[in-house]
Amino acid sequence: MSVRSIRLILGDQLNINHSWFEKGDDGIIYVMAEQRSETDYTLHHAQKLIAVLSAMRRFAADLEARGHRLRYFRLGDADNPQNFPDTLATVVQEHKPARFEWQTPDEYRLQRIIAQAAEGFEREEGMEVREWGSEHFIAKAADFDPLMKNGKPPTMERFYRAMRGKTGILMSDGGPLGGRWNYDADNRSPLDDQADIIPPLRHPRDETALWDEIKAAGVRFFGNPNASAIAWPADRSQALEVLEHFLEHRLVDFGRYQDAMATGEPFLAHGLISFALNVKLISPMEVVEAAARRWERHAAVDPRLLASLEGFIRQVMGWREYMRQVYRVSMPGYERNNALSAKRNLPDWYWSGETDLNCLSQSIGQSLEHAYAHHIQRLMVTGNFAMLAGIDPDQVDQWDLGVYIDAFQWVEITNTRGMSQYADGGMVATKPYAASARYINRMSDYCKSCRFNPNKRHGGDACPFNSLYWHFLHRNRDVLGGNHRLAMPYKTWDRFGESERRAIIEYADDFLASL
């Protein structure tokens, strides 16, 4: 049977509602491939490898069940070239199609690779080539670019308000529902004794056979594979069930405790839908519409529910969409930003969690166990420490990209190099998200079981976060001193006596030398 077109589907393009799939066509062959180029470009957590390949295989089975023709390369197949240009060339030689089609990859790295392959097919094979949109994100370039000024992205808040206006989500009579755009101030409670959060819905399944294939292929990894009971959603139906359970049982607690951290509580009231979103099993618009449709009427008269609903929608339609657009307009080049000239190596214990700093031990240990940590653990513990210690942002990027189940470069790098490391010099964040032990002690129970004292700046058992915080401000004053949002901390530093400042710097220097 003749083939008019081959269409490439990447491992994070599992959107069964894409217009490509509206009807079957025997003249089209879809190509999916498990590639060593994708398993090996960074060191990945075992559960991330399993989750992506498992979701790809289920998506492929769904396509075939719907009558679509598919050429699927498994990781261990003898004829798998293990990179996209050669894999696509193999399929082209097999079928001699007239056209090559692909959806725009989210990551610049893959955009470049696939575009170059397409150019080669057009030039050397005389093929027609066509690039399609992913049909996933809410915001378009036309929503974002007019908000930029002198090449600088708008603030997230400005963008978010524009998106609320465009979609009508949480809007009433032309203004924000409840009269406020932002309920962050209501969403900063530590976990308390009254909290009774319903556990998240999980889908444990045995992926031992897949894990054996991954190991047999020689893929390097770290973290706990949990292959006999991996619980991340593997298909659209599971993802929708996780979303439904969250909206029905857990959203009410999400806002209040979204910044909280607690020993033995890796998930708290978070949605656990980011993996499903980022491989496109579900879409951001259906998520925010489902949340608003379910709770908007009740939220209008319940301030606590409104704070949770707005906080959740802000994460999905605000931050996620914003980071996508920042990545789009900033690549290539964004990945080289290092505004604070950070050069120190990432401590070895980021790969083991074996450190006396309990907040880091808990957050890293959880990440290694579950391939997951929520946004405050990433931003204010692991990320905050890396920034305060002056860790090379290249190494921070690679760790975050590898360890987290939902990490793909477009969303990872803008959050790490931008938001948590301030390596972009303020493109994403208006000030560094730097914090001492006081913040961690307020938002978690980690300090209660730590050998370090969160109330001391130096000496003996003083928490290193405190001296590192002041050390960070001191050594970066030439870059940060003019930031009006840091005026108060710098005034406080200047009020310390000379001997106090010297003791803080020496204590921090000694700690950094021990890394």
Side-chain angles (χ1 to χ4, degrees):
M1 186 176 296
S2 64
V3 174
R4 296 191 313 278
S5 182
I6 61 171
R7 289 176 170 176
L8 174 65
I9 304 170
L10 300 177
D12 63 347
Q13 294 179 338
L14 311 182
N15 175 14
I16 199 64
N17 292 321
H18 194 280
S19 58
W20 271 4
F21 311 122
E22 289 177 355
K23 59 182 180 179
D25 187 334
D26 287 338
I28 296 172
I29 287 185
Y30 292 96
V31 179
M32 297 181 69
E34 303 167 7
Q35 308 273 254
R36 286 296 299 270
S37 62
E38 297 308 295
T39 61
D40 296 2
Y41 71 89
T42 194
L43 185 64
H44 285 105
H45 194 292
Q47 289 184 41
K48 184 178 181 183
L49 295 168
I50 295 171
V52 172
L53 297 190
S54 176
M56 287 176 66
R57 292 183 180 191
R58 291 201 182 197
F59 186 83
D62 189 14
L63 279 185
E64 290 187 313
R66 292 168 183 247
H68 299 286
R69 295 177 68 186
L70 180 68
R71 178 73 158 95
Y72 193 98
F73 294 83
R74 290 198 173 205
L75 198 62
D77 288 348
D79 63 347
N80 185 344
Q82 303 294 351
N83 66 76
F84 284 116
D86 291 341
T87 297
L88 291 170
T90 296
V91 180
V92 167
Q93 291 306 309
E94 287 176 350
H95 296 283
K96 305 295 184 182
R99 182 188 305 142
F100 168 57
E101 302 174 83
W102 74 102
Q103 297 175 33
T104 302
D106 295 337
E107 297 192 14
Y108 178 79
R109 173 182 63 89
L110 287 172
Q111 290 175 22
R112 186 175 65 249
I113 290 171
I114 304 305
Q116 287 175 350
E119 289 171 5
F121 295 149
E122 187 175 34
R123 181 179 61 253
E124 297 168 15
E125 306 289 341
M127 294 172 61
E128 178 186 351
V129 298
R130 180 178 176 185
E131 181 176 5
W132 295 68
S134 67
E135 301 178 8
H136 175 76
F137 295 98
I138 302 171
K140 312 298 183 188
D143 299 316
F144 189 85
D145 293 354
L147 301 178
M148 296 181 64
K149 186 175 182 180
N150 299 323
K152 182 178 173 59
T155 62
M156 198 290 290
E157 184 68 24
R158 186 181 177 205
F159 166 78
Y160 171 60
R161 294 185 184 190
M163 294 305 296
R164 291 267 296 274
K166 171 187 175 178
T167 61
I169 297 291
L170 297 188
M171 298 293 287
S172 177
D173 297 326
L177 186 69
R180 292 164 54 189
W181 291 100
N182 187 325
Y183 288 81
D184 275 357
D186 300 333
N187 291 340
R188 294 171 180 163
S189 296
L191 197 66
D192 54 42
D193 294 338
Q194 285 71 48
D196 186 20
I197 299 171
I198 294 175
L201 179 66
R202 306 279 273 157
H203 288 91
R205 61 191 185 279
D206 191 336
E207 293 284 7
T208 304
L210 172 57
W211 179 235
D212 288 342
E213 288 184 51
I214 293 170
K215 289 189 295 181
V219 177
R220 295 173 61 240
F221 66 93
F222 68 105
N224 176 18
N226 199 25
S228 63
I230 188 168
W232 297 97
D235 55 38
R236 177 169 169 79
S237 64
Q238 290 183 353
L240 289 172
E241 289 173 2
V242 171
L243 173 62
E244 169 67 20
H245 185 271
F246 167 73
L247 294 180
E248 182 64 27
H249 300 291
R250 294 160 50 77
L251 175 64
V252 65
D253 290 311
F254 169 77
R256 184 177 184 184
Y257 300 120
Q258 68 173 309
D259 289 2
M261 298 173 283
T263 303
E265 296 287 348
F267 306 126
L268 293 171
H270 291 271
L272 304 189
I273 61 170
S274 53
F275 171 75
L277 272 170
N278 290 355
V279 298
K280 302 182 181 58
L281 295 176
I282 52 178
S283 77
M285 197 63 203
E286 73 179 320
V287 166
V288 297
E289 285 182 338
R293 183 169 58 248
R294 176 75 61 84
W295 293 114
E296 195 171 36
R297 180 170 59 86
H298 302 286
V301 295
D302 184 343
R304 180 186 171 196
L305 182 54
L306 180 55
S308 275
L309 182 60
E310 189 278 319
F312 175 67
I313 288 175
R314 172 181 292 269
Q315 292 290 324
V316 178
M317 192 167 71
W319 278 112
R320 184 175 185 271
E321 293 286 323
Y322 179 73
M323 292 305 194
R324 169 62 191 157
Q325 293 299 320
V326 169
Y327 182 85
R328 178 185 63 82
V329 301
S330 303
M331 290 290 286
Y334 192 86
E335 76 283 9
R336 295 189 294 273
N337 286 329
N338 190 359
L340 301 180
S341 301
K343 298 178 181 178
R344 186 168 280 105
N345 287 327
L346 192 73
D348 290 342
W349 39 260
Y350 265 71
W351 303 99
S352 68
E354 296 175 359
T355 171
D356 287 345
L357 288 152
N358 190 48
C359 60
L360 284 158
S361 178
Q362 292 291 330
S363 298
I364 293 171
Q366 173 188 313
S367 301
L368 297 173
E369 180 67 20
H370 300 288
Y372 173 83
H374 68 68
H375 65 283
I376 292 299
Q377 291 172 309
R378 302 187 202 191
L379 178 65
M380 302 307 297
V381 181
T382 59
N384 180 33
F385 178 86
M387 181 177 65
L388 297 182
I391 305 300
D392 183 343
D394 287 350
Q395 297 184 33
V396 180
D397 277 343
Q398 290 303 305
W399 187 81
D400 275 68
L401 184 60
V403 73
Y404 292 122
I405 195 83
D406 53 10
F408 296 88
Q409 192 196 50
W410 67 269
V411 69
E412 170 275 322
I413 199 171
T414 45
N415 275 288
T416 54
R417 193 170 295 250
M419 195 171 179
S420 83
Q421 300 305 294
Y422 203 74
D424 65 1
M427 184 180 297
V428 168
T430 56
K431 74 174 183 68
Y433 277 86
S436 67
R438 178 183 297 179
Y439 177 87
I440 297 170
N441 194 29
R442 183 172 73 248
M443 296 308 303
S444 78
D445 63 358
Y446 296 155
C447 298
K448 294 177 182 178
S449 303
C450 187
R451 78 173 185 85
F452 293 108
N453 188 334
N455 299 312
K456 294 176 64 175
R457 291 192 289 262
H458 55 81
D461 61 348
C463 179
F465 269 90
N466 293 330
S467 61
L468 289 177
Y469 172 78
W470 296 111
H471 191 282
F472 169 80
L473 291 177
H474 173 70
R475 73 174 184 267
N476 290 300
R477 193 161 194 165
D478 287 348
V479 178
L480 302 175
N483 188 315
H484 72 280
R485 297 194 65 191
L486 295 176
M488 188 59 69
Y490 275 116
K491 286 181 180 178
T492 300
W493 174 249
D494 291 339
R495 283 198 296 267
F496 290 157
E498 178 62 29
S499 61
E500 177 70 5
R501 289 196 295 268
R502 187 182 307 114
I504 291 170
I505 296 301
E506 289 177 356
Y507 189 78
D509 281 339
D510 288 345
F511 177 81
L512 292 172
S514 72
L515 294 179

